[in-house]
Structures are given as C-alpha cells and as structure tokens.
C-alpha cells in the first residue's frame, strides 16, 4: 500500500525529483532537487508538510507528535 502512495506522489507533486535525475550534471541535479523541494513545500497551493519526510518520521522507533495525529 505504501508503495502505491509513493508511486502516485512521485508521479504528481514529487515528480520534480524524478525529472531532476535526468539533468546533465550532478550540479544541475542538486539544483533542480533543491528548487523543486522549495517550490513543493512553499507553493501557494500545496499542502503543509512533505509526504516523504512525514513518512520517515512515522516509521521511526518513536513516532513524532505529527505522525500520531
């Protein structure tokens, strides 16, 4: 189930990460990843938080307060 969620996420809001990996140089990859992450987390029409980061927090030994909501 989690795999399907991540597949859908990276086909939608997280697509910048997949596209960044096709950049011609390592510097371009990193720049596109950073710019995409900033746009994703600060854009006017984006939900609060990041699915990937929140998922990592929920999978730790002690879930964070936001993961328990």
């Amino acid at each position: 189930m989690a795999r399907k969620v991540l597949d859908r996420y990276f086909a939608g809001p997280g697509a910048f990460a997949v596209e960044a990996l096709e950049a011609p140089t390592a510097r371009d990859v990193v720049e596109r990843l950073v710019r995409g992450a900033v746009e994703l987390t600060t854009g006017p029409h984006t939900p609060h938080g990041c699915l990937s980061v929140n998922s990592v927090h929920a999978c730790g030994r002690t879930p964070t307060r936001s993961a328990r909501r």
Side-chain angles (χ1 to χ4, degrees):
M1 177 75 149
R3 178 64 189 195
K4 287 182 181 182
V5 171
L6 286 176
D7 286 345
R8 186 170 181 179
Y9 183 71
F10 286 115
F16 74 90
V18 177
E19 294 167 6
L21 296 176
E22 296 175 6
T25 67
R27 183 184 190 290
D28 290 338
V29 169
V30 172
E31 181 177 350
R32 291 178 189 190
L33 286 172
V34 170
R35 289 182 183 274
V38 168
E39 178 63 30
L40 178 64
T41 56
T42 63
H45 303 292
T46 58
H48 298 288
C50 170
L51 177 62
S52 297
V53 172
N54 290 337
S55 297
V56 169
H57 289 271
C59 294
R61 289 183 185 183
T62 305
T64 62
R65 187 174 73 156
S66 64
R68 287 183 245 144
R69 288 183 197 164

